Structures are given as C-alpha cells and as structure tokens.
C-alpha cells in the first residue's frame, strides 16, 4: 500500500490514464467522424457495402488486441508495470499519426485508390496491437498501488479516463464539423485529430517516467526468487550464486524498498496454499514457466474463459451504445434525422452519467459491497432495459421530433447502468490472476471481452439487421446483448470458484469475507511472550554477506538492521532487527531449519536475560584465566593433576 496525498493520487491516476485518454480519443474519432472517414477511404457506389467495410476495418483493430495484450502483458509481468505503460503509449501514437498522413481513396489530390483502405487496415492492426498493452496494465497498476480503502474509487477514476477521451474526441469532432467546410473536412480537416496524438503521446511518455512500481509486484518477484533459491539449494547450489543472479538494481533497492513492505502486498502474493485455493488447485496447473504467456495459459486457462464470459455483456452494451447507437441516431432515427450536434450532446451527457455509475460502484466496493452480486443485478437490469432503449433510437412510422427527448433520457440512463457494470467487472477480474501473471492474464481476457466481443458489436448488429424482418430490425442489438447476457450470468456464477482469492485480505473489499477491521484484529492478536523484533541466527555459512541476508530475510518485511558476525567467535551468527514484530515472527516460522549451503538455520528470538547471563559467565571465565596467569597456573594441566590425584 502506497501512502500518497489526495493530490498525489490524482496525479498518479491521471498520468496512468493519459494513455487511455489517447486510446479512446482515437477510437471515438472513428465513431464521431464515421460518415466523413467512410467517404475518405471507401468507394461510394454501394452504401451498404461501404458501411460494412468501414465497420470491418474499425473492428479489425480490436481483433488483434488480445495478441498485443499477451506481448505487452508479458513485459509488465517481467520488467514492470510502468515500463509497459511507457512503451504502449508510444506504440499507439505512431500508427495514429500515420493514419493522419494517409492518402485518400479518391478525395482531393492526395489519393491512392484501393491502397488507401489497405493502408488504413494495416495501421489499425498496428494500432490495435499496441492498444492491447494500454488499458489492462494501467488497471493492474492502479489496483496494486492503491490503498485498500480507496481501491474501488481509484480504479473507477482510471476507468473514467475512457469517458474523458470520448468527450474530448466528441468536442474535437464538433469543433471541426462546425468550423471547417464539408469539402475541407474531406480533404484535410479529418487529419487534425489523428496528428494531435503525437503531442499527447510525448507528454504521456514523459509523465509516466516517474511512476513507482507497485509493492505487490516487487514482492511477488522476491517470492519467485525465493522459490528459485529453494530449488537451487535442493540441487546443491549456493545461496550466494542465486543472490548474484538478481539484477544489480533489484539487489541495491532491496534495503530501501523493503521499508514499504506490508501485510497487503504479502497477502496478495499468497496463491500457493491449497487450503486457500479450494477447487482451483484441482482445476489449474502449477507450472513455473519464466514466460508469463505460457504460465497463464497453462495455469489459468479456466480463469481466462470465466473472465471473458464475466465481461461479455458489458462489452457489447458499452460499444453498442457508444458506437452503433450514435450513428443510428444520425442515419436512421426521426423523420428528418437527428442533427449531428444533437447526437454529440447526447453522447456527452451519457458519458457523464456513465462516469457517475462508475464512481458510485467503486465507492460501494470500498464500503464492502460484493462486486459479483452487483454485476449480476446490474446486468439483469441492463438486459431488461436495452430492449426499450434500442427501440427508442430506431426509426418507426411514428417517429417525431419528440423522440429526441426520449433519446436524451434513455441513452444516459442505459449508460449509467453500463457504468456500474463496467466497474463491477474490472476490479474483481484482476484478482483472478497471481501477481506475476496478472498483467498478461487480465489484459488478454479484457481485450478478448471488450476488444473482440465489444469491438465486433457494431459489425455484428449491422449484419443482424440486414437479415431480420423489418418489424424486428429495431430489436437486433437487444438480441445480441441478451445472448451475451446469458453468458455473463454464467460467468458470475463461475466467479464463485475464485472466492478464495477474492476474499483475501487487502485484495479489495470485493466479496468481503475479511474486512479491514478483522485484519486489524488479527494484527493485534496476542503473541507468545518470547516473540520480539530482534532475531538471533546461528549456523550460517561463514561466507554469507549482508546483501544475501537482506535477500533472504527481507522477503518477510521491512528490516531495520542486520549485523553479521565477522570475528572468530561470532562467525556463522547474525542479529536481525525487523521494523514489525509480526514480520519477525513470520521470518522465524518460515526460515527455521531452512537449508542454506547445506547448513540448517537456527533462529531464536533475542532474550536479554539469557544474553546477560551468558555475558556474566564469560566474565567469570575471563577472571579465572587472569588469576591463573597471575599465579602461573596452567588451568588445563592443573585439572589433569587434580584428576590424577583423585584417581590415586
């Protein structure tokens, strides 16, 4: 848990979310300027084919996201969360800027015919690949860094950067469409939003350079090193050899970083105990591959499947309402169609209501409300509401201008429900995965859900409409979402398998089996009288260094001091002083009898009375030797003579 002020947390969330703002600005520019971009990149001879091709190119950027999530997620699980965030934001910006420089199909003087949509498709593939490494790692980063009593709200605030990006994109589109002529918009005006991504990316890359790594990730790395050390020791290798395998940066930072180790990060790492995992130990593997992609696929394939099912409905609901519905309002709703500015106003209001739903649900998590039950209830409400909402944005023989007022109410209402569902699927899903596979697993599942299922929704709905009876066309989006809602309800039920992980202390008050109060009660439980913060370690290898001692004992908590014996009398011993008495007890419980270079550690709590008695005995022996030397008596020979006399 990182202790920051409110202003500092605001900065961290905004810096982590700046890439999400860029990602969703780009995404929503495609939506807001659909009619312009269709005319720029595709032939106009067949409007239906043009629309389908447009949505196909739009969707292809989402289809490739899971692959990007696997690659960028692995970077985050090996080298760190903030490294991934810095690479991803530059990776997104490059193809976005190139899109702003592409030739058109046959508009203006800078044309390339069929090459234009092909180049657009390639850039969307690259763009989607890099976007797969943006939102998932950012969510993991904030969820691990945030204090438990604010985790729900801070993750919700990061999710709200999606809304910020969409609102900025909407305002940009409004500005262009109302200040640039239609002809100039087709020739050069549409390029401006894509070229602006360059400035945003540079700013985001610079700001993200100073972000700290979450303690949960750092401590999980140390726990993995400990496991490797144990295996090496079992094979006869030395602790020193393993310690030197740790990078110089990691070893140098152990002393400073351990000062922030706490019960939260240790609890989040504890995924191995069979009694805590329940059914998961039978369903999952326990491979320790160094490659996170292989680890998550071999160990947690069930979690990936459940994660995708869990968020299937909200993925389709969000994209259906954010992508398909606004263009439906412009193209087919009302007698004279809805003016573009009306649709844009509805979108802005709906994004604000979505943000309210996000924050409200995050606040509920921090108060102990169960996320899985919220998601199930919200989905049922959304499945019932979507039929009326999507009917309300569809053309009917009775369409009047009054229906615009219905859209102002229905769409924001539905987006409020969707916002609650978005919050309830993201935070609990992050805890399906262990820390060293968390970024890879969550990002992959998220991009399969939101990226593939959600991104394909406009294309699927458009295809369904073409095959339906005219009387049923208004219900096409609802049919798609009801089917996905059934899958998500099953996902909610299967998430109960993960209750051992969701119920862990400090994972967040999701499915809260342990509150902060109960954890505090555990921390204040009565300990045996001999337990204290100072440990006396014996039977150490003579060549062990202080750095190796930090690497071994620092896994269990912050250490104030380590003193390794160096004289002839004290070699093989050490004193260790922990900051927290509970960390000292944990170290004794785990390391007593631990094999280090074929020597089994003996760890005792420091006892001042015993120590004084030992010193007193040494003083007596020293005085005896002084008197013997003074009177010229050989103590050893004197003992033999005395013994010999007794024998006679």
């Amino acid at each position: 848990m990182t202790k920051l002020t409110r202003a500092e947390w605001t900065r961290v969330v905004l810096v982590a979310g700046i890439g999400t703002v860029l990602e969703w600005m780009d995404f929503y520019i495609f939506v807001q300027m659909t009619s312009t971009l269709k005319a720029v990149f595709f032939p106009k001879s067949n409007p239906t084919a043009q629309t389908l091709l447009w949505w196909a190119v739009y969707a292809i950027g989402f289809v490739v996201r899971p692959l990007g999530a696997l690659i960028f997620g692995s970077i985050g699980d090996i080298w760190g969360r903030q490294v991934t965030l810095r690479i991803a934001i530059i990776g997104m910006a490059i193809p976005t800027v190139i899109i702003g420089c592409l030739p058109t199909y046959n508009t203006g003087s800078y044309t390339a015919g069929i090459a234009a949509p092909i180049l657009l498709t390639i850039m969307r593939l690259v763009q989607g690949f890099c976007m797969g490494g943006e939102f998932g790692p950012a969510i993991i980063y904030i969820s691990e860094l945030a204090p438990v009593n604010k985790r729900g709200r801070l993750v919700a605030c990061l999710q709200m950067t999606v809304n910020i990006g969409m609102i900025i994109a909407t305002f940009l589109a409004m500005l262009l469409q109302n200040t640039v002529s239609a002809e100039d918009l087709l020739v050069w005006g549409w390029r401006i939003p894509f070229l602006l991504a360059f400035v945003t990316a540079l700013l985001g890359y610079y700001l993200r350079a100073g972000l700290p790594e979450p303690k949960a990730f750092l401590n999980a790395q140390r726990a993995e090193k400990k496991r490797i050390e144990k295996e090496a020791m079992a094979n006869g290798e030395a602790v020193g050899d393993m310690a030197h395998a740790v990078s110089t940066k990691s070893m140098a930072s152990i002393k400073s970083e351990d000062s922030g180790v706490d019960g939260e990060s240790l609890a989040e790492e504890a995924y191995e105990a069979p009694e805590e995992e329940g059914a998961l130990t039978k369903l999952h593997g326990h491979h320790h591959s160094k490659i996170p992609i292989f680890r998550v696929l071999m160990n947690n394939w069930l979690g990936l499947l459940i994660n995708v099912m869990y968020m299937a409905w909200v993925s389709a609901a969000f994209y259906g309402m954010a992508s398909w519905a606004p263009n439906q309002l412009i193209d087919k709703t009302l007698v004279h169609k809805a003016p573009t500015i009306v649709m844009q106003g509805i979108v802005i209001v709906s994004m604000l209501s979505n943000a309210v739903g996000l924050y409200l649900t995050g606040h509920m998590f921090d108060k102990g409300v169960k996320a899985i039950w919220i998601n199930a209830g919200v989905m049922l409400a959304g499945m019932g509401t979507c039929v009326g909402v999507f009917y309300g944005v569809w053309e009917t023989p009775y369409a009047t201008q009054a229906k615009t007022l219905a859209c102002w109410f229905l769409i924001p209402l539905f987006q409020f429900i969707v916002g609650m569902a978005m919050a309830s699927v993201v935070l609990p899903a992050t805890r399906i995965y262990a820390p060293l596979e968390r970024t890879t697993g969550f990002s992959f599942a998220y991009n399969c859900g939101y990226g593939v299922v959600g991104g394909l929704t406009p294309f699927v709905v458009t295809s369904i409409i073409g095959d339906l009876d005219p009387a049923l066309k208004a219900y096409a989006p609802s049919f798609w979402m009801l089917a996905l809602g059934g899958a998500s309800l099953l996902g909610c039920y299967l998430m109960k398998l993960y209750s051992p992980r969701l119920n862990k202390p400090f994972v967040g008050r999701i499915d809260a089996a342990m509150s902060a109060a109960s954890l505090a009660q555990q921390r204040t439980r009565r300990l045996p009288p001999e337990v204290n913060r100072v440990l006396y370690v014996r039977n150490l290898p003579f060549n062990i260094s202080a750095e190796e001692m930090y690497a071994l004992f620092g896994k269990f908590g912050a250490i104030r001091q380590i003193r390794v014996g160096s004289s002839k009398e004290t070699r093989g011993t050490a004193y260790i002083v922990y900051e927290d008495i509970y960390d000292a007890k944990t170290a004794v419980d785990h390391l007593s009898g631990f094999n280090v270079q074929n020597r089994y550690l003996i760890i005792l709590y420091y006892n001042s009375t015993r120590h004084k008695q030992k010193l007193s005995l040494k003083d007596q022996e020293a005085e005896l030797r002084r008197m013997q030397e003074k009177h010229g008596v050989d103590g050893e020979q004197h003992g033999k003579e005395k013994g010999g006399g007794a024998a006679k």
Side-chain angles (χ1 to χ4, degrees):
M1 179 171 58
T2 303
K3 294 181 180 179
L4 299 175
T5 65
R6 178 176 295 183
E8 289 170 332
W9 270 116
T10 302
R11 175 187 172 274
V12 168
V13 172
L14 288 177
V15 170
I18 193 169
T20 306
V21 172
L22 172 61
E23 173 186 351
W24 287 84
M25 279 176 58
D26 167 69
F27 151 72
Y28 217 56
I29 281 295
F30 275 90
V31 175
Q32 289 290 339
M33 302 184 69
T34 293
S35 57
T36 300
L37 295 174
K38 282 195 298 185
V40 166
F41 285 103
F42 295 95
K44 305 174 185 178
S45 55
N46 188 333
T48 302
Q50 183 190 56
T51 300
L52 285 172
L53 285 171
W54 166 252
W55 286 123
V57 172
Y58 166 84
I60 201 167
F62 292 92
V63 173
V64 77
R65 283 192 184 188
L67 179 59
L70 288 176
I71 303 301
F72 282 95
S74 295
I75 295 173
D77 286 331
I78 295 174
W79 288 288
R81 314 316 196 200
Q82 68 109 351
V83 175
T84 308
L85 294 176
R86 295 181 73 190
I87 296 174
I89 195 168
I90 294 298
M92 286 191 306
I94 291 173
T96 302
V97 172
I98 292 175
I99 288 175
C101 301
L102 289 180
T104 65
Y105 184 82
N106 59 3
T107 303
S109 57
Y110 185 34
T111 63
I114 193 63
I118 293 175
L119 290 172
L120 176 65
T121 303
I122 293 171
M123 289 301 103
R124 283 289 294 164
L125 284 169
V126 177
Q127 194 181 53
F129 179 84
C130 295
M131 285 181 177
E134 174 56 45
F135 187 71
I139 287 289
I140 295 300
Y141 179 78
I142 294 297
S143 74
E144 290 181 338
L145 198 69
V148 63
N149 62 334
K150 298 179 181 177
R151 181 169 292 163
R153 281 168 288 176
L154 288 171
V155 171
C157 287
L158 180 63
Q159 291 180 266
M160 286 160 58
T161 58
V162 170
N163 306 59
I164 294 173
M166 294 176 67
I167 290 173
I168 292 174
T170 302
F171 276 121
L172 276 174
M174 292 172 67
L175 182 65
L176 288 171
Q177 291 163 351
N178 289 279
T179 58
V180 178
S181 67
E183 183 179 351
D184 288 340
L185 192 63
L186 289 171
V187 175
W188 57 266
W190 64 271
R191 301 179 186 275
I192 294 175
F194 297 102
L195 297 176
L196 288 175
F198 179 73
V199 178
T200 308
L202 287 181
L203 178 63
Y205 184 86
Y206 172 76
L207 292 175
R208 285 178 169 183
L211 292 178
E213 285 291 350
K215 289 291 193 299
F217 169 68
L218 294 174
N219 288 330
Q221 279 192 324
R222 295 189 188 110
E224 181 68 6
K225 292 183 179 72
K226 173 187 172 184
R227 182 191 63 78
I228 295 172
E229 287 174 6
K230 285 183 177 180
E231 291 181 355
M233 290 172 191
N235 295 327
E237 299 178 25
V239 170
D241 296 336
M242 297 307 302
H244 290 302
V246 182
S247 68
T248 304
K249 178 177 181 289
S250 299
M251 183 60 73
S253 63
I254 282 175
K255 299 178 185 179
S256 61
E257 289 173 350
D258 275 340
S259 62
V261 175
D262 50 34
E264 171 180 357
S265 48
L266 290 176
E268 292 204 31
E269 296 164 14
Y271 283 94
E272 292 82 11
E275 64 274 13
E276 293 183 352
E277 294 296 353
L280 296 181
T281 58
K282 299 178 181 179
L283 295 171
H284 286 182
H286 298 278
H287 297 276
H288 294 287
S289 172
K290 295 181 181 180
I291 303 174
I293 297 174
F294 296 153
R295 183 189 294 223
V296 74
L297 291 177
M298 291 187 293
N299 289 350
N300 216 354
W301 61 268
L302 179 63
L304 289 171
L305 179 61
I306 293 174
N307 195 347
V308 174
M309 294 172 63
Y310 186 63
M311 61 175 53
W313 179 83
V314 70
S315 304
F318 179 77
Y319 279 94
M321 190 52 68
S323 302
W324 181 83
N327 286 286
Q328 186 63 32
L329 277 170
I330 295 176
D331 293 341
K332 293 189 176 181
T333 304
L334 311 178
V335 172
H336 302 293
K337 301 182 181 180
T340 300
I341 197 168
V342 172
M343 178 272 291
Q344 292 166 334
I346 293 172
V347 166
I348 292 171
V349 173
S350 68
M351 286 298 100
L352 294 175
S353 67
N354 180 276
V356 172
L358 279 166
Y359 190 82
L360 175 64
T361 308
H363 184 73
M364 292 167 67
F365 292 164
D366 292 337
K367 296 300 182 182
V369 180
K370 298 180 179 181
I372 296 175
W373 292 112
I374 289 181
N375 192 32
V378 168
M379 276 197 304
L380 288 172
M383 290 164 67
T385 307
C386 72
V387 177
V389 170
F390 283 101
Y391 183 83
V393 296
W394 185 259
E395 181 182 15
T396 70
Y398 307 101
T400 64
Q401 199 65 28
K403 185 169 287 186
T404 308
L405 298 177
C407 292
W408 280 97
F409 172 75
L410 290 174
I411 294 178
L413 171 65
F414 190 68
Q415 282 287 23
F416 173 78
I417 296 172
V418 170
M420 295 187 70
M422 288 168 65
S424 63
V425 299
V426 166
L427 185 54
T430 63
R431 266 42 188 189
I432 291 175
Y433 312 96
L436 295 185
E437 63 186 43
R438 184 172 290 156
T439 306
T440 305
F442 176 76
S443 297
F444 180 73
Y446 172 84
N447 284 285
C448 285
Y450 271 89
V452 178
V453 177
L456 287 175
T457 290
F459 180 77
V460 172
V461 171
T462 302
S463 301
I464 293 173
I465 289 172
D467 296 330
L468 284 179
D469 183 90
L472 298 175
K473 290 183 183 292
Y475 303 103
S478 304
F479 292 155
W480 174 237
M481 291 179 194
L482 288 172
L484 294 175
S488 287
L489 288 174
L490 178 58
C492 287
Y493 176 78
L494 293 175
M495 277 288 282
K496 292 171 62 179
L497 288 171
Y498 286 86
S499 57
R501 293 184 181 180
L502 301 183
N503 292 346
K504 284 182 181 294
F506 291 111
V507 167
R509 305 186 185 190
I510 301 168
D511 273 356
M514 292 187 67
S515 63
S518 64
L519 185 71
Q521 186 177 5
Q522 285 192 13
R523 293 287 287 176
T524 56
R525 69 187 185 276
R526 186 180 296 276
L527 293 174
E530 70 273 12
V531 176
N532 61 77
R533 295 184 298 110
V534 184
L535 305 182
Y536 176 59
V537 186
R538 294 166 47 193
N539 207 36
L540 285 165
F542 287 171
N543 63 346
I544 195 166
S545 66
E547 287 78 11
E548 291 165 351
M549 291 290 288
Y550 270 107
L552 186 61
F553 285 85
K555 299 179 177 72
F556 301 97
I559 294 176
R560 179 176 295 181
Q561 185 181 23
I562 288 182
R563 296 185 64 182
V564 180
S566 56
S567 67
K568 182 178 179 181
E569 292 80 10
T570 61
R571 281 191 308 171
T573 67
Y575 284 99
I576 300 173
V577 184
Y578 278 91
E579 297 282 356
D580 192 313
I581 190 172
Y582 290 93
D583 295 335
K585 184 178 186 306
T586 302
V588 172
D589 293 342
H590 285 79
L591 291 180
S592 292
F594 189 75
N595 186 331
V596 178
Q597 298 184 31
N598 295 322
R599 305 192 71 163
Y600 296 91
L601 301 186
I602 299 171
I603 306 179
L604 304 171
Y605 295 108
Y606 174 75
N607 187 309
S608 59
T609 303
R610 187 188 307 158
H611 184 67
K612 289 178 181 178
Q613 291 174 348
K614 187 175 181 180
L615 288 177
S616 178
L617 180 60
K618 286 184 177 180
D619 290 341
Q620 293 176 20
E621 292 175 347
E623 178 64 18
L624 178 61
R625 285 194 297 270
R626 188 182 66 80
M627 293 298 293
Q628 288 171 345
E629 291 173 359
K630 179 179 179 180
H631 296 286
V633 178
D634 187 338
E636 182 177 347
Q637 182 63 33
H638 178 71
K640 289 180 180 179
E641 292 175 355
K642 187 176 180 180
K648 292 178 181 178

